[in-house]
Amino acid sequence: MLKNKAAIAGITLFLLTCAGGVAAQEVDADAAKSLFGKSGCKKCHDPVKDKNGPSFEKTSAKYKGKADAEEKLWTHLTTNPIVKYDDKEEKHISPKTDDQGEIRNLIRWILSH
Ligand code: HEC
């Protein structure tokens, strides 16, 4: 009996965690698009077309099923790594905001493609 209770508690916790996970993944696409536009990302990125940088469909596919996808993109977008395109090397820009939540939302939007 006790064992069953523990199992049920475990399952309940698991379901609650899943529900929480889904809620955490919710994306405000309008806010993300607006930040994407005002930060100048459009010059090199498009949701579906490759430009100087990869399309978000490509990036999303690259990170599909990887648990550290958000962290990888967080690092990419906040530490200005050197990127190469057209035989040029330059620092990758960061989104124009000080709000970490807005950057997270943008990352989730990118990964939702
Ligand atoms: C001047 C061109 C340029 C601009 C502007 C630019 N990017 Fe990029 N971006 C690149 C290039 C080139 C790469 C490929 C880097 C690589 O694969 O080494 C890249 C890669 C990425 C990736 C994939 C990283 C990965 O780990 O696969 C994401 C996501 C991204 N950029 C988002 C953005 C966002 C958001 C903005 C606006 C804040 C932005 N980029 C602005 C050129 C640019």
Side-chain angles (χ1 to χ4, degrees):
M1 199 51 195
L2 239 179
K3 231 180 185 175
N4 280 345
K5 262 194 188 162
I8 289 168
I11 290 167
T12 310
L13 194 67
F14 174 72
L15 290 176
L16 283 175
T17 313
C18 289
V22 170
Q25 294 300 314
E26 257 171 42
V27 172
D28 182 343
D30 289 338
K33 275 182 213 160
S34 143
L35 181 59
F36 175 65
K38 82 170 180 190
S39 302
C41 317
K42 278 185 189 168
K43 193 181 139 202
C44 301
H45 294 281
D46 182 84
V48 295
K49 271 191 306 194
D50 286 328
K51 291 184 162 182
N52 290 326
S55 73
F56 293 156
E57 281 187 349
K58 211 173 237 180
T59 299
S60 178
K62 171 179 163 189
Y63 286 109
K64 205 170 183 65
K66 302 215 168 100
D68 62 349
E70 278 189 38
E71 285 324 301
K72 283 268 163 63
L73 293 192
W74 178 264
T75 304
H76 182 80
L77 291 177
T78 56
T79 61
N80 309 111
I82 302 288
V83 293
K84 286 187 195 148
Y85 67 95
D86 287 350
D87 295 330
K88 277 185 286 185
E89 283 194 352
E90 67 177 54
K91 281 190 175 178
H92 196 271
I93 60 166
S94 295
K96 287 202 173 96
T97 177
D98 293 327
D99 185 332
Q100 301 200 343
E102 281 185 38
I103 301 179
R104 286 267 168 220
N105 183 60
L106 177 63
I107 289 172
R108 288 187 185 133
W109 177 67
I110 290 170
L111 291 172
S112 75
H113 284 82

